[in-house]
């Protein structure tokens, strides 16, 4: 293969091709992971452009190893109006948004309220959050959890806000920084 010099063979047990270096990868802008594992494949420029377009809509910079299905699904919900107690693209609340995305992407049925979701996740430190983890908010010590969102990366998360519907916000914004309570990982 003409491009074989750009790749090195992964350990014999896996037999998968991997990018030899980030410098070499930059020569092929269409390289994206095939899935969440160690497999890699060459994708078309159209695939790469679609990935970049989704990342741009979400306001994140991607390194092409995020869950592409999760990002595309979240992006498809952007702009959905807020509607308490609902979970459809005609209107949703925060937990409705999260439950629908997890059902669509992972085939998992989550608890319907943010408080109930919190009881079923594995807590993770804020500095160890990964794309797809849940972020929970409360209004002060001893107060109940009132809001949930899906962590994207770089301190950004997607959620359904009462004042704007499904959107991407930053954990660095004063309101979310002040009310952030914890992050949790769902077994997937």
């Amino acid at each position: 293969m003409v491009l074989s010099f750009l790749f090195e063979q992964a350990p014999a047990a896996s037999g998968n091709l991997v990018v030899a270096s980030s410098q070499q990868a930059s020569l092929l802008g269409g390289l994206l992971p095939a899935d969440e594992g160690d497999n890699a494949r060459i994708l078309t420029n159209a695939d790469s452009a679609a990935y970049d377009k989704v990342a741009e809509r979400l306001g994140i910079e991607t390194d092409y190893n995020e869950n592409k299905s999760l990002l595309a699904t979240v992006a498809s919900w952007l702009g959905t109006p807020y509607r308490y107690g609902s979970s459809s693209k005609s209107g949703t609340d925060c937990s409705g948004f999260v439950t629908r995305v997890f059902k669509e992407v992972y085939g998992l049925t989550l608890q319907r309220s943010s408080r109930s979701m919190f009881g079923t996740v594995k807590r993770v430190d804020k500095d160890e959050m990964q794309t797809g983890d849940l972020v929970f908010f409360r209004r002060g010590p001893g107060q109940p959890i009132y809001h949930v969102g899906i962590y994207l990366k770089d301190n950004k998360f997607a959620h359904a806000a009462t004042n704007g519907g499904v959107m991407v916000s930053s954990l660095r914004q004063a309101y979310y920084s002040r009310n952030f309570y914890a992050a949790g990982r769902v077994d997937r």
Side-chain angles (χ1 to χ4, degrees), residues 104-160:
E104 289 177 38
V105 175
Y106 303 113
L108 296 174
T109 302
L110 299 181
Q111 298 291 317
R112 181 57 176 87
S113 77
S114 55
R115 285 179 221 157
S116 297
M117 280 181 209
F118 183 71
T120 64
V121 298
K122 176 186 171 197
R123 296 267 303 260
V124 293
D125 291 334
K126 192 173 184 179
D127 61 348
E128 293 182 15
M129 290 187 298
Q130 298 174 2
T131 302
D133 285 345
L134 300 182
V135 289
F136 297 92
F137 300 86
R138 66 182 190 178
R139 290 187 175 92
Q143 296 295 311
I145 291 169
Y146 73 95
H147 192 59
V148 63
I150 301 170
Y151 185 74
L152 299 173
K153 66 181 296 186
D154 301 327
N155 285 299
K156 294 192 177 175
F157 69 103
H159 61 121

Short mmCIF file of all heavy atoms in Angstrom, two decimals, residues 104-160:
data_model
loop_
_atom_site.label_atom_id
_atom_site.label_comp_id
_atom_site.label_asym_id
_atom_site.label_seq_id
_atom_site.Cartn_x
_atom_site.Cartn_y
_atom_site.Cartn_z
N GLU A 104 -30.80 6.81 22.72
CA GLU A 104 -30.46 6.83 21.29
C GLU A 104 -29.02 6.36 21.04
O GLU A 104 -28.77 5.61 20.10
CB GLU A 104 -30.63 8.23 20.72
CG GLU A 104 -32.07 8.68 20.59
CD GLU A 104 -32.20 10.12 20.10
OE1 GLU A 104 -31.41 10.53 19.21
OE2 GLU A 104 -33.10 10.83 20.58
N VAL A 105 -28.09 6.81 21.84
CA VAL A 105 -26.68 6.54 21.59
C VAL A 105 -26.23 5.19 22.16
O VAL A 105 -25.55 4.43 21.50
CB VAL A 105 -25.79 7.67 22.16
CG1 VAL A 105 -24.31 7.34 22.02
CG2 VAL A 105 -26.12 8.99 21.47
N TYR A 106 -26.61 4.90 23.40
CA TYR A 106 -26.10 3.71 24.08
C TYR A 106 -27.14 2.61 24.27
O TYR A 106 -26.80 1.52 24.74
CB TYR A 106 -25.56 4.09 25.46
CG TYR A 106 -24.48 5.14 25.42
CD1 TYR A 106 -24.71 6.42 25.94
CD2 TYR A 106 -23.22 4.88 24.86
CE1 TYR A 106 -23.72 7.39 25.92
CE2 TYR A 106 -22.24 5.85 24.82
CZ TYR A 106 -22.49 7.11 25.36
OH TYR A 106 -21.52 8.06 25.32
N GLY A 107 -28.41 2.91 23.97
CA GLY A 107 -29.46 1.92 24.19
C GLY A 107 -29.77 1.72 25.66
O GLY A 107 -30.33 0.70 26.04
N LEU A 108 -29.41 2.69 26.50
CA LEU A 108 -29.61 2.58 27.94
C LEU A 108 -30.81 3.40 28.40
O LEU A 108 -31.03 4.51 27.92
CB LEU A 108 -28.38 3.10 28.68
CG LEU A 108 -27.08 2.34 28.47
CD1 LEU A 108 -25.93 3.05 29.16
CD2 LEU A 108 -27.21 0.92 28.98
N THR A 109 -31.57 2.84 29.32
CA THR A 109 -32.69 3.55 29.92
C THR A 109 -32.25 4.07 31.28
O THR A 109 -31.96 3.28 32.18
CB THR A 109 -33.91 2.63 30.07
OG1 THR A 109 -34.26 2.12 28.79
CG2 THR A 109 -35.10 3.38 30.67
N LEU A 110 -32.17 5.38 31.41
CA LEU A 110 -31.76 6.02 32.66
C LEU A 110 -32.99 6.39 33.47
O LEU A 110 -34.09 6.50 32.94
CB LEU A 110 -30.94 7.27 32.39
CG LEU A 110 -29.64 7.11 31.61
CD1 LEU A 110 -28.96 8.47 31.46
CD2 LEU A 110 -28.71 6.13 32.29
N GLN A 111 -32.77 6.62 34.75
CA GLN A 111 -33.83 7.15 35.61
C GLN A 111 -34.29 8.48 35.04
O GLN A 111 -33.52 9.20 34.41
CB GLN A 111 -33.30 7.34 37.04
CG GLN A 111 -32.84 6.07 37.71
CD GLN A 111 -33.99 5.15 38.03
OE1 GLN A 111 -35.02 5.60 38.50
NE2 GLN A 111 -33.82 3.87 37.75
N ARG A 112 -35.52 8.87 35.28
CA ARG A 112 -36.08 10.05 34.63
C ARG A 112 -35.76 11.37 35.32
O ARG A 112 -35.79 12.42 34.71
CB ARG A 112 -37.61 9.87 34.50
CG ARG A 112 -38.33 11.00 33.81
CD ARG A 112 -37.79 11.25 32.41
NE ARG A 112 -38.54 12.27 31.71
CZ ARG A 112 -38.31 13.57 31.76
NH1 ARG A 112 -37.33 14.04 32.52
NH2 ARG A 112 -39.05 14.43 31.10
N SER A 113 -35.40 11.36 36.60
CA SER A 113 -35.10 12.63 37.27
C SER A 113 -33.59 12.76 37.50
O SER A 113 -32.88 11.77 37.64
CB SER A 113 -35.83 12.74 38.60
OG SER A 113 -35.20 11.95 39.59
N SER A 114 -33.13 14.00 37.56
CA SER A 114 -31.70 14.24 37.78
C SER A 114 -31.24 13.67 39.13
O SER A 114 -30.15 13.10 39.23
CB SER A 114 -31.38 15.73 37.69
OG SER A 114 -32.17 16.48 38.56
N ARG A 115 -32.07 13.77 40.15
CA ARG A 115 -31.72 13.22 41.47
C ARG A 115 -31.60 11.70 41.40
O ARG A 115 -30.69 11.12 41.98
CB ARG A 115 -32.76 13.60 42.51
CG ARG A 115 -32.65 15.03 42.93
CD ARG A 115 -33.71 15.41 43.95
NE ARG A 115 -34.20 16.74 43.59
CZ ARG A 115 -35.35 17.23 43.91
NH1 ARG A 115 -36.20 16.53 44.62
NH2 ARG A 115 -35.69 18.43 43.54
N SER A 116 -32.53 11.06 40.72
CA SER A 116 -32.48 9.59 40.59
C SER A 116 -31.27 9.16 39.77
O SER A 116 -30.62 8.17 40.09
CB SER A 116 -33.75 9.07 39.94
OG SER A 116 -34.87 9.34 40.75
N MET A 117 -30.97 9.90 38.71
CA MET A 117 -29.78 9.59 37.89
C MET A 117 -28.53 9.62 38.74
O MET A 117 -27.67 8.76 38.63
CB MET A 117 -29.63 10.60 36.75
CG MET A 117 -30.49 10.36 35.58
SD MET A 117 -30.12 11.64 34.35
CE MET A 117 -31.70 11.71 33.55
N PHE A 118 -28.44 10.65 39.59
CA PHE A 118 -27.25 10.80 40.42
C PHE A 118 -27.02 9.58 41.30
O PHE A 118 -25.89 9.17 41.54
CB PHE A 118 -27.34 12.07 41.26
CG PHE A 118 -26.11 12.31 42.09
CD1 PHE A 118 -24.93 12.69 41.49
CD2 PHE A 118 -26.14 12.14 43.46
CE1 PHE A 118 -23.78 12.90 42.25
CE2 PHE A 118 -25.00 12.35 44.22
CZ PHE A 118 -23.82 12.72 43.62
N GLY A 119 -28.10 8.98 41.75
CA GLY A 119 -27.99 7.81 42.60
C GLY A 119 -27.50 6.56 41.89
O GLY A 119 -27.14 5.59 42.54
N THR A 120 -27.46 6.59 40.56
CA THR A 120 -27.07 5.38 39.82
C THR A 120 -25.73 5.50 39.11
O THR A 120 -25.29 4.54 38.49
CB THR A 120 -28.14 5.04 38.76
OG1 THR A 120 -28.21 6.10 37.80
CG2 THR A 120 -29.49 4.82 39.40
N VAL A 121 -25.07 6.65 39.20
CA VAL A 121 -23.80 6.83 38.49
C VAL A 121 -22.62 6.58 39.41
O VAL A 121 -22.74 6.62 40.63
CB VAL A 121 -23.68 8.26 37.90
CG1 VAL A 121 -24.76 8.52 36.88
CG2 VAL A 121 -23.67 9.32 38.99
N LYS A 122 -21.48 6.33 38.80
CA LYS A 122 -20.22 6.23 39.53
C LYS A 122 -19.61 7.62 39.55
O LYS A 122 -19.37 8.22 38.51
CB LYS A 122 -19.28 5.25 38.83
CG LYS A 122 -17.92 5.15 39.48
CD LYS A 122 -16.98 4.30 38.66
CE LYS A 122 -15.59 4.42 39.25
NZ LYS A 122 -14.58 3.98 38.32
N ARG A 123 -19.38 8.17 40.73
CA ARG A 123 -18.81 9.51 40.84
C ARG A 123 -17.41 9.55 40.25
O ARG A 123 -16.62 8.62 40.41
CB ARG A 123 -18.73 9.94 42.31
CG ARG A 123 -20.07 10.09 43.00
CD ARG A 123 -20.66 11.48 42.97
NE ARG A 123 -19.87 12.53 43.53
CZ ARG A 123 -20.01 13.04 44.74
NH1 ARG A 123 -20.92 12.56 45.57
NH2 ARG A 123 -19.25 14.03 45.13
N VAL A 124 -17.12 10.64 39.55
CA VAL A 124 -15.78 10.86 39.00
C VAL A 124 -15.34 12.27 39.39
O VAL A 124 -16.17 13.17 39.51
CB VAL A 124 -15.72 10.69 37.46
CG1 VAL A 124 -15.96 9.25 37.07
CG2 VAL A 124 -16.67 11.60 36.74
N ASP A 125 -14.04 12.44 39.59
CA ASP A 125 -13.50 13.76 39.91
C ASP A 125 -13.68 14.69 38.71
O ASP A 125 -13.63 14.26 37.56
CB ASP A 125 -12.02 13.67 40.26
CG ASP A 125 -11.77 12.96 41.58
OD1 ASP A 125 -12.67 12.98 42.44
OD2 ASP A 125 -10.67 12.38 41.74
N LYS A 126 -13.84 15.96 39.00
CA LYS A 126 -14.07 16.95 37.96
C LYS A 126 -12.93 16.95 36.93
O LYS A 126 -13.17 17.10 35.74
CB LYS A 126 -14.23 18.34 38.58
CG LYS A 126 -14.74 19.38 37.63
CD LYS A 126 -15.03 20.67 38.36
CE LYS A 126 -15.64 21.70 37.42
NZ LYS A 126 -15.95 22.95 38.11
N ASP A 127 -11.71 16.76 37.40
CA ASP A 127 -10.57 16.77 36.47
C ASP A 127 -10.40 15.45 35.72
O ASP A 127 -9.49 15.31 34.92
CB ASP A 127 -9.29 17.18 37.18
CG ASP A 127 -8.90 16.23 38.30
OD1 ASP A 127 -9.73 15.38 38.70
OD2 ASP A 127 -7.76 16.36 38.80
N GLU A 128 -11.27 14.48 35.97
CA GLU A 128 -11.20 13.20 35.26
C GLU A 128 -12.44 12.95 34.40
O GLU A 128 -12.65 11.84 33.91
CB GLU A 128 -11.01 12.06 36.27
CG GLU A 128 -9.67 12.13 36.95
CD GLU A 128 -9.44 10.98 37.92
OE1 GLU A 128 -10.19 9.99 37.87
OE2 GLU A 128 -8.51 11.11 38.73
N MET A 129 -13.25 13.98 34.20
CA MET A 129 -14.45 13.82 33.39
C MET A 129 -14.09 13.49 31.95
O MET A 129 -13.09 13.97 31.43
CB MET A 129 -15.30 15.09 33.42
CG MET A 129 -15.95 15.34 34.76
SD MET A 129 -17.10 16.73 34.75
CE MET A 129 -16.05 18.10 34.32
N GLN A 130 -14.94 12.67 31.35
CA GLN A 130 -14.77 12.27 29.95
C GLN A 130 -16.05 12.59 29.19
O GLN A 130 -17.13 12.72 29.77
CB GLN A 130 -14.50 10.77 29.85
CG GLN A 130 -13.26 10.31 30.54
CD GLN A 130 -13.12 8.79 30.52
OE1 GLN A 130 -13.96 8.08 29.96
NE2 GLN A 130 -12.08 8.30 31.14
N THR A 131 -15.91 12.70 27.88
CA THR A 131 -17.08 12.92 27.03
C THR A 131 -18.12 11.85 27.33
O THR A 131 -17.81 10.67 27.36
CB THR A 131 -16.66 12.86 25.54
OG1 THR A 131 -15.67 13.85 25.31
CG2 THR A 131 -17.86 13.08 24.63
N GLY A 132 -19.35 12.28 27.60
CA GLY A 132 -20.44 11.36 27.91
C GLY A 132 -20.74 11.20 29.38
O GLY A 132 -21.75 10.61 29.75
N ASP A 133 -19.88 11.75 30.24
CA ASP A 133 -20.18 11.73 31.68
C ASP A 133 -21.32 12.71 31.96
O ASP A 133 -21.58 13.62 31.17
CB ASP A 133 -18.96 12.12 32.51
CG ASP A 133 -17.91 11.01 32.58
OD1 ASP A 133 -18.23 9.85 32.24
OD2 ASP A 133 -16.77 11.31 32.97
N LEU A 134 -21.99 12.52 33.07
CA LEU A 134 -23.08 13.42 33.45
C LEU A 134 -22.56 14.43 34.46
O LEU A 134 -21.71 14.11 35.29
CB LEU A 134 -24.24 12.62 34.06
CG LEU A 134 -24.87 11.58 33.14
CD1 LEU A 134 -26.04 10.89 33.84
CD2 LEU A 134 -25.32 12.19 31.82
N VAL A 135 -23.07 15.65 34.37
CA VAL A 135 -22.72 16.70 35.33
C VAL A 135 -24.00 17.11 36.05
O VAL A 135 -25.06 17.25 35.44
CB VAL A 135 -22.02 17.90 34.65
CG1 VAL A 135 -20.61 17.53 34.21
CG2 VAL A 135 -22.82 18.42 33.45
N PHE A 136 -23.87 17.26 37.37
CA PHE A 136 -25.03 17.53 38.22
C PHE A 136 -24.84 18.86 38.95
O PHE A 136 -23.73 19.22 39.33
CB PHE A 136 -25.20 16.41 39.25
CG PHE A 136 -25.49 15.08 38.62
CD1 PHE A 136 -24.46 14.20 38.31
CD2 PHE A 136 -26.79 14.70 38.34
CE1 PHE A 136 -24.72 12.98 37.73
CE2 PHE A 136 -27.06 13.47 37.75
CZ PHE A 136 -26.04 12.61 37.45
N PHE A 137 -25.96 19.53 39.18
CA PHE A 137 -25.94 20.87 39.79
C PHE A 137 -26.94 20.93 40.93
O PHE A 137 -27.98 20.30 40.91
CB PHE A 137 -26.30 21.91 38.73
CG PHE A 137 -25.36 21.92 37.57
CD1 PHE A 137 -25.57 21.06 36.49
CD2 PHE A 137 -24.25 22.74 37.55
CE1 PHE A 137 -24.69 21.03 35.42
CE2 PHE A 137 -23.37 22.72 36.48
CZ PHE A 137 -23.59 21.86 35.41
N ARG A 138 -26.59 21.74 41.93
CA ARG A 138 -27.51 22.07 43.03
C ARG A 138 -27.24 23.51 43.44
O ARG A 138 -26.19 24.07 43.14
CB ARG A 138 -27.38 21.10 44.19
CG ARG A 138 -26.06 21.14 44.91
CD ARG A 138 -26.02 20.12 46.01
NE ARG A 138 -24.86 20.34 46.85
CZ ARG A 138 -24.56 19.64 47.90
NH1 ARG A 138 -25.35 18.65 48.27
NH2 ARG A 138 -23.50 19.91 48.61
N ARG A 139 -28.19 24.11 44.11
CA ARG A 139 -28.11 25.54 44.41
C ARG A 139 -27.37 25.88 45.70
O ARG A 139 -27.31 27.03 46.08
CB ARG A 139 -29.52 26.13 44.45
CG ARG A 139 -30.14 26.17 43.07
CD ARG A 139 -31.46 26.91 43.05
NE ARG A 139 -31.96 27.02 41.70
CZ ARG A 139 -32.78 26.14 41.13
NH1 ARG A 139 -33.19 25.08 41.80
NH2 ARG A 139 -33.19 26.32 39.89
N GLY A 140 -26.80 24.94 46.35
CA GLY A 140 -26.04 25.22 47.56
C GLY A 140 -25.91 23.98 48.41
O GLY A 140 -26.58 22.97 48.17
N PRO A 141 -25.04 24.02 49.43
CA PRO A 141 -24.85 22.88 50.32
C PRO A 141 -26.18 22.43 50.93
O PRO A 141 -26.98 23.26 51.37
CB PRO A 141 -23.89 23.41 51.38
CG PRO A 141 -23.20 24.57 50.74
CD PRO A 141 -24.21 25.16 49.80
N GLY A 142 -26.40 21.14 50.91
CA GLY A 142 -27.60 20.58 51.50
C GLY A 142 -28.83 20.67 50.61
O GLY A 142 -29.87 20.11 50.93
N GLN A 143 -28.72 21.39 49.51
CA GLN A 143 -29.85 21.51 48.58
C GLN A 143 -29.89 20.28 47.66
O GLN A 143 -28.87 19.66 47.39
CB GLN A 143 -29.71 22.78 47.72
CG GLN A 143 -29.78 24.05 48.51
CD GLN A 143 -31.16 24.22 49.15
OE1 GLN A 143 -32.18 24.09 48.50
NE2 GLN A 143 -31.16 24.48 50.45
N PRO A 144 -31.06 19.94 47.15
CA PRO A 144 -31.16 18.79 46.26
C PRO A 144 -30.60 19.10 44.86
O PRO A 144 -30.53 20.26 44.46
CB PRO A 144 -32.66 18.52 46.17
CG PRO A 144 -33.28 19.84 46.47
CD PRO A 144 -32.36 20.55 47.43
N ILE A 145 -30.21 18.07 44.17
CA ILE A 145 -29.79 18.22 42.78
C ILE A 145 -31.02 18.65 41.98
O ILE A 145 -32.11 18.11 42.15
CB ILE A 145 -29.24 16.88 42.26
CG1 ILE A 145 -27.90 16.59 42.96
CG2 ILE A 145 -29.08 16.90 40.74
CD1 ILE A 145 -27.38 15.21 42.74
N TYR A 146 -30.84 19.64 41.13
CA TYR A 146 -31.96 20.16 40.35
C TYR A 146 -31.71 20.15 38.84
O TYR A 146 -32.61 20.44 38.06
CB TYR A 146 -32.30 21.59 40.78
CG TYR A 146 -31.28 22.61 40.32
CD1 TYR A 146 -31.47 23.32 39.13
CD2 TYR A 146 -30.12 22.83 41.04
CE1 TYR A 146 -30.53 24.24 38.70
CE2 TYR A 146 -29.18 23.75 40.62
CZ TYR A 146 -29.39 24.45 39.45
OH TYR A 146 -28.44 25.34 39.02
N HIS A 147 -30.48 19.86 38.41
CA HIS A 147 -30.16 19.97 36.99
C HIS A 147 -29.09 18.96 36.61
O HIS A 147 -28.21 18.63 37.40
CB HIS A 147 -29.67 21.39 36.70
CG HIS A 147 -29.58 21.73 35.25
ND1 HIS A 147 -30.66 21.68 34.41
CD2 HIS A 147 -28.53 22.13 34.49
CE1 HIS A 147 -30.29 22.05 33.19
NE2 HIS A 147 -28.99 22.33 33.22
N VAL A 148 -29.17 18.46 35.36
CA VAL A 148 -28.20 17.50 34.84
C VAL A 148 -27.90 17.84 33.39
O VAL A 148 -28.75 18.37 32.67
CB VAL A 148 -28.72 16.04 34.97
CG1 VAL A 148 -29.99 15.82 34.14
CG2 VAL A 148 -27.65 15.03 34.61
N GLY A 149 -26.67 17.55 32.98
CA GLY A 149 -26.25 17.74 31.60
C GLY A 149 -25.25 16.67 31.21
O GLY A 149 -24.85 15.84 32.04
N ILE A 150 -24.86 16.67 29.95
CA ILE A 150 -23.90 15.69 29.42
C ILE A 150 -22.60 16.42 29.14
O ILE A 150 -22.56 17.37 28.35
CB ILE A 150 -24.44 15.05 28.13
CG1 ILE A 150 -25.77 14.35 28.39
CG2 ILE A 150 -23.41 14.06 27.56
CD1 ILE A 150 -26.50 13.89 27.13
N TYR A 151 -21.53 15.95 29.76
CA TYR A 151 -20.22 16.57 29.57
C TYR A 151 -19.72 16.26 28.16
O TYR A 151 -19.79 15.14 27.69
CB TYR A 151 -19.23 16.05 30.62
CG TYR A 151 -17.90 16.74 30.54
CD1 TYR A 151 -17.75 18.05 30.99
CD2 TYR A 151 -16.79 16.10 30.01
CE1 TYR A 151 -16.53 18.71 30.90
CE2 TYR A 151 -15.57 16.74 29.92
CZ TYR A 151 -15.44 18.04 30.37
OH TYR A 151 -14.23 18.69 30.27
N LEU A 152 -19.20 17.29 27.50
CA LEU A 152 -18.63 17.13 26.16
C LEU A 152 -17.11 17.06 26.24
O LEU A 152 -16.52 16.02 26.04
CB LEU A 152 -19.08 18.26 25.24
CG LEU A 152 -20.60 18.36 25.04
CD1 LEU A 152 -20.97 19.60 24.26
CD2 LEU A 152 -21.13 17.10 24.38
N LYS A 153 -16.48 18.16 26.54
CA LYS A 153 -15.04 18.25 26.79
C LYS A 153 -14.68 19.70 27.00
O LYS A 153 -15.51 20.58 26.77
CB LYS A 153 -14.23 17.61 25.66
CG LYS A 153 -14.32 18.33 24.33
CD LYS A 153 -13.53 17.66 23.23
CE LYS A 153 -12.06 17.67 23.54
NZ LYS A 153 -11.20 17.18 22.49
N ASP A 154 -13.46 19.94 27.42
CA ASP A 154 -12.97 21.31 27.62
C ASP A 154 -13.92 22.16 28.46
O ASP A 154 -14.19 23.31 28.15
CB ASP A 154 -12.73 22.00 26.26
CG ASP A 154 -11.73 21.25 25.40
OD1 ASP A 154 -10.80 20.65 25.97
OD2 ASP A 154 -11.89 21.25 24.17
N ASN A 155 -14.47 21.56 29.52
CA ASN A 155 -15.38 22.23 30.45
C ASN A 155 -16.72 22.61 29.82
O ASN A 155 -17.45 23.42 30.37
CB ASN A 155 -14.73 23.45 31.09
CG ASN A 155 -13.74 23.03 32.15
OD1 ASN A 155 -14.11 22.39 33.13
ND2 ASN A 155 -12.48 23.36 31.95
N LYS A 156 -17.08 22.03 28.69
CA LYS A 156 -18.37 22.31 28.06
C LYS A 156 -19.30 21.13 28.24
O LYS A 156 -18.88 19.98 28.24
CB LYS A 156 -18.18 22.64 26.59
CG LYS A 156 -17.41 23.95 26.42
CD LYS A 156 -17.45 24.46 25.04
CE LYS A 156 -16.74 25.81 24.97
NZ LYS A 156 -16.65 26.28 23.62
N PHE A 157 -20.58 21.44 28.40
CA PHE A 157 -21.58 20.40 28.57
C PHE A 157 -22.86 20.81 27.85
O PHE A 157 -23.12 22.00 27.63
CB PHE A 157 -21.85 20.14 30.06
CG PHE A 157 -22.54 21.27 30.77
CD1 PHE A 157 -23.90 21.20 31.07
CD2 PHE A 157 -21.84 22.40 31.17
CE1 PHE A 157 -24.55 22.25 31.73
CE2 PHE A 157 -22.47 23.45 31.84
CZ PHE A 157 -23.83 23.37 32.11
N ALA A 158 -23.64 19.80 27.45
CA ALA A 158 -24.93 20.03 26.79
C ALA A 158 -26.03 19.78 27.79
O ALA A 158 -25.95 18.86 28.61
CB ALA A 158 -25.07 19.09 25.60
N HIS A 159 -27.08 20.61 27.73
CA HIS A 159 -28.17 20.49 28.68
C HIS A 159 -29.39 21.22 28.14
O HIS A 159 -29.30 21.99 27.18
CB HIS A 159 -27.77 21.06 30.05
CG HIS A 159 -27.42 22.52 30.01
ND1 HIS A 159 -28.08 23.45 30.77
CD2 HIS A 159 -26.49 23.21 29.30
CE1 HIS A 159 -27.57 24.65 30.55
NE2 HIS A 159 -26.60 24.54 29.66
N ALA A 160 -30.53 20.98 28.77
CA ALA A 160 -31.75 21.71 28.44
C ALA A 160 -31.99 22.74 29.55
O ALA A 160 -32.32 22.37 30.67
CB ALA A 160 -32.93 20.76 28.32
#
